[in-house]
Amino acid sequence: MARKKKELPLIENVEIVDIAAEGKAIAKIDDMVVFIPYVVPGDIIDLQITRKKNKYAEGRPVRFVSYSPNRTEAFCEHFGICGGCKWQILPYAEQLKYKQKQVTDNLMRIGKIELPEIQPILGSAKTEFYRNKLEFTFSNKKWLTLEQINSDESFDNMNALGFHIPGMFDKVLDINKCWLQDDISNQIRNFVREYCISKEYTFFDLRNKGGLMRNIIVRTSTTGELMLIVVFYEACRTKREDLLNAIADKFPEITSLLYIVNEKANDTITDQIVLRWKGNDFIYEEMEGLKFKIGPKSFYQTNSKQAYELYKIARDFAGLTGNELVYDLYTGTGTIANFIARQAKKVIGIEYVEDAIEDAVYNSKNNKIKNTLFFAGDMKDILTQEFIDKYGRPDVIITDPPRAGMHEDVVNTILFSEPEKIVYVSCNPATQARDLALFDEKYKVAKVQPVDMFPHTHHVENVVLLVRK
């Protein structure tokens, strides 16, 4: 006989006191910390504990006794269900305050190193419609809200095109309006969904793996160019061509209409053949007169305007005079490498994605930049003492690693190469702090500049300048 699950308590009149590192808010009950989503400091709530551990618990608000004065109304109809933009209920100035605190806490608590005064965070000029890339998923299992379930409405059609519900890999929330990307993204998504439903196209079954329609990816740029990638699971030529023609007719502003037939288990397209239906197989982004080619698989900072501010800070921290050899680690499509090339003697970029390096080489050639050199491969395998002996000891290293930070072998090779300056750009201040502690034997932190790339989320970028002791 199964043991009856212990009922977890409901606690009344609990005050929310802080924000945690991953964006949830914090309440303290006796000596226990409780993490709660969709509330802000100053709210007083009745709290249902949903999960209890020895030193912490998780919960959800069941009733608001009173609202915090530091709270604003969510502007998105999907808030609280979609899982994105969880900080909409915090005024933007408050969001920046907590992001600044997150950077400071991580560098001090994890890094445990001597720090200069941390510069005030640079906020994003655009706080809505700021992303240049979104991916939407087709599903034949639409997520129903409690209001929908309790309504008299019947749901004969369970097809959806939108975002995955957090923690539910096979459930998708049907998105009507998303505030993250230019509204053309909403128009395209809603048209494609309605067309496919009207023509009885099958939506993907995420659990059992079947159905025609799998994903769409929308990419926009500040140059006004527009890319749409339609991902099919089944290779049904007639239906595929009918849909692509309908999209092309409805949206002549699409400059790059591409498609993929992805029959494998996961959604990643890095190993897939991308086919062109209309227009180019790329779009351009522009920065200070430089044009950057962005293909369907290219990485580019998803907030284009704020990326420009981020790169200017990195360039300023590097303090280039025109005589330096610069290594740009995790170079992606060579955006930073090409952006700083005019101020350096030579820039060497390293990146593990071969397609990205092809774009980086193209971007240098297209912009008539002749002092860059790019290498594709795993960073810890490429950046070795032998590599430095062959290509030269860098005066400056700029590194922009993924969220996991840098492999210890890479840190050790940088320490061996002893550049005068290291500019460390990070999207995860926690792993950045860990790596900074490893550099502490030879380098001191001279400047710290947080940058907000993702308004209404807890994510924050941080740029650190290290100088040799």
Side-chain angles (χ1 to χ4, degrees):
M1 183 175 171
R3 182 186 297 176
K4 187 177 180 182
K5 197 171 182 180
K6 186 178 179 181
E7 197 169 304
L8 293 170
L10 174 73
I11 306 170
E12 298 181 332
N13 292 308
V14 176
E15 183 178 2
I16 307 302
V17 296
D18 204 351
I19 296 284
E22 291 302 310
K24 289 184 179 180
I26 294 175
K28 291 183 179 176
I29 302 169
D30 298 326
D31 294 327
M32 184 174 63
V33 173
V34 186
F35 298 99
I36 311 115
Y38 304 117
V39 291
V40 303
D43 284 340
I44 296 175
I45 64 170
D46 291 346
L47 169 67
Q48 174 68 61
I49 299 294
T50 56
R51 187 173 180 232
K52 195 170 184 296
K53 296 291 185 179
N54 289 334
K55 294 184 179 179
Y56 74 94
E58 295 176 10
R60 61 180 176 85
V62 294
R63 184 174 79 92
F64 283 84
V65 178
S66 64
Y67 290 109
S68 168
N70 291 326
R71 167 186 269 274
T72 189
E73 287 294 318
F75 50 81
C76 178
E77 65 191 89
H78 304 297
F79 174 75
I81 306 166
C82 152
C85 305
K86 291 179 181 177
W87 278 11
Q88 285 179 51
I89 50 177
L90 265 180
Y92 190 53
E94 290 291 302
Q95 295 179 32
L96 295 179
K97 182 180 84 172
Y98 284 109
K99 292 187 186 199
Q100 180 95 16
K101 183 175 181 291
Q102 182 190 150
V103 170
T104 304
D105 289 351
N106 277 301
L107 295 188
M108 293 178 68
R109 181 174 52 84
I110 299 172
K112 295 184 174 66
I113 52 177
E114 185 180 344
L115 294 169
E117 182 180 354
I118 296 174
Q119 295 299 306
I121 187 169
L122 179 65
S124 176
K126 292 186 73 174
T127 60
E128 298 167 0
F129 306 119
Y130 60 83
R131 286 185 66 103
N132 57 39
K133 180 185 176 186
L134 281 180
E135 179 170 349
F136 303 101
T137 301
F138 290 88
S139 173
N140 65 348
K141 292 183 178 63
K142 175 164 60 180
W143 177 259
L144 297 179
T145 65
L146 283 174
E147 290 79 5
Q148 288 174 318
I149 291 170
N150 295 330
S151 72
D152 295 329
E153 189 178 352
S154 62
F155 296 93
D156 300 323
N157 188 324
M158 290 294 287
N159 289 329
L161 176 56
F163 297 130
H164 284 271
I165 290 289
M168 301 277 183
F169 83 93
D170 64 337
K171 296 289 195 300
V172 166
L173 178 66
D174 205 35
I175 296 293
N176 177 47
K177 179 174 182 176
C178 177
W179 293 75
L180 282 172
Q181 194 175 26
D182 185 279
D183 195 57
I184 189 66
S185 177
N186 290 314
Q187 296 172 39
I188 291 170
R189 183 194 60 256
N190 291 339
F191 172 80
V192 171
R193 179 184 56 236
E194 295 311 314
Y195 180 92
C196 291
I197 289 173
S198 70
K199 300 295 183 182
E200 298 184 346
Y201 286 18
T202 51
F203 284 36
F204 195 53
D205 187 322
L206 287 136
R207 185 176 290 275
N208 299 311
K209 300 293 181 290
L212 176 63
M213 305 304 303
R214 187 160 191 172
N215 305 93
I216 60 169
I217 302 165
V218 184
R219 301 190 80 150
T220 56
S221 78
T222 57
T223 62
E225 292 173 283
L226 175 60
M227 175 185 288
L228 175 65
I229 308 162
V230 184
V231 185
F232 301 90
Y233 180 70
E234 297 169 350
C236 181
R237 181 176 175 179
T238 302
K239 290 184 176 180
R240 179 177 72 231
E241 292 184 354
D242 286 348
L243 173 60
L244 292 169
N245 282 328
I247 293 169
D249 290 342
K250 178 70 175 177
F251 300 101
E253 57 267 57
I254 295 176
T255 57
S256 174
L257 180 54
L258 313 173
Y259 72 93
I260 297 168
V261 178
N262 177 10
E263 297 176 329
K264 60 188 179 66
N266 62 61
D267 286 343
T268 58
I269 65 168
T270 51
D271 58 350
Q272 297 293 289
I273 297 170
V274 183
L275 299 164
R276 183 167 59 91
W277 185 255
K278 174 203 167 189
N280 299 317
D281 57 2
F282 60 88
I283 57 176
Y284 279 118
E285 191 54 81
E286 198 167 41
M287 205 179 288
E288 287 191 354
L290 299 172
K291 296 181 78 173
F292 296 98
K293 178 186 176 185
I294 300 171
K297 302 177 186 179
S298 299
F299 170 79
Y300 194 85
Q301 288 281 359
T302 49
N303 184 338
S304 297
K305 290 186 181 296
Q306 195 70 340
Y308 177 44
E309 302 302 323
L310 182 76
Y311 296 155
K312 283 195 293 185
I313 291 165
R315 184 175 62 187
D316 177 62
F317 279 17
L320 302 174
T321 65
N323 298 314
E324 292 86 2
L325 171 60
V326 181
Y327 281 15
D328 179 26
L329 310 184
Y330 311 93
T331 190
T333 56
T335 313
I336 290 180
N338 286 301
F339 184 70
I340 65 167
R342 290 180 290 197
Q343 286 81 33
K345 183 178 180 181
K346 187 174 185 178
V347 184
I348 293 176
I350 304 173
E351 165 64 41
Y352 76 96
V353 179
E354 288 188 17
D355 286 350
I357 287 297
E358 288 176 12
D359 285 344
V361 171
Y362 174 91
N363 287 331
S364 286
K365 186 176 180 181
N366 193 47
N367 288 293
K368 299 181 172 55
I369 295 170
K370 298 179 180 178
N371 61 334
T372 57
L373 190 60
F374 294 101
F375 295 88
D378 192 296
M379 188 64 62
K380 64 180 172 52
D381 298 331
I382 296 279
L383 187 68
T384 61
Q385 295 181 14
E386 292 77 17
F387 182 92
I388 290 167
D389 290 339
K390 181 175 181 180
Y391 292 101
R393 190 177 296 272
D395 301 295
V396 177
I397 285 180
I398 298 175
T399 181
D400 186 2
R403 286 191 64 78
M406 293 192 288
H407 193 282
E408 195 168 342
D409 290 352
V410 176
V411 174
N412 289 333
T413 304
I414 293 173
L415 288 169
F416 160 79
S417 70
E418 294 188 330
E420 289 298 318
K421 298 175 184 176
I422 302 167
V423 180
Y424 191 147
V425 182
S426 173
C427 60
N428 186 345
T431 55
Q432 184 186 44
R434 177 204 67 201
D435 294 345
L436 294 179
L438 299 175
F439 285 116
D440 192 51
E441 62 177 275
K442 287 188 178 182
Y443 289 86
K444 70 174 183 178
V445 176
K447 293 181 182 179
V448 180
Q449 176 64 70
V451 180
D452 183 26
M453 302 287 288
F454 305 108
H456 310 303
T457 78
H458 67 273
H459 297 291
V460 60
E461 296 265 340
N462 193 44
V463 189
V464 170
L465 170 63
L466 296 160
V467 295
R468 196 150 58 110
K469 291 181 178 178

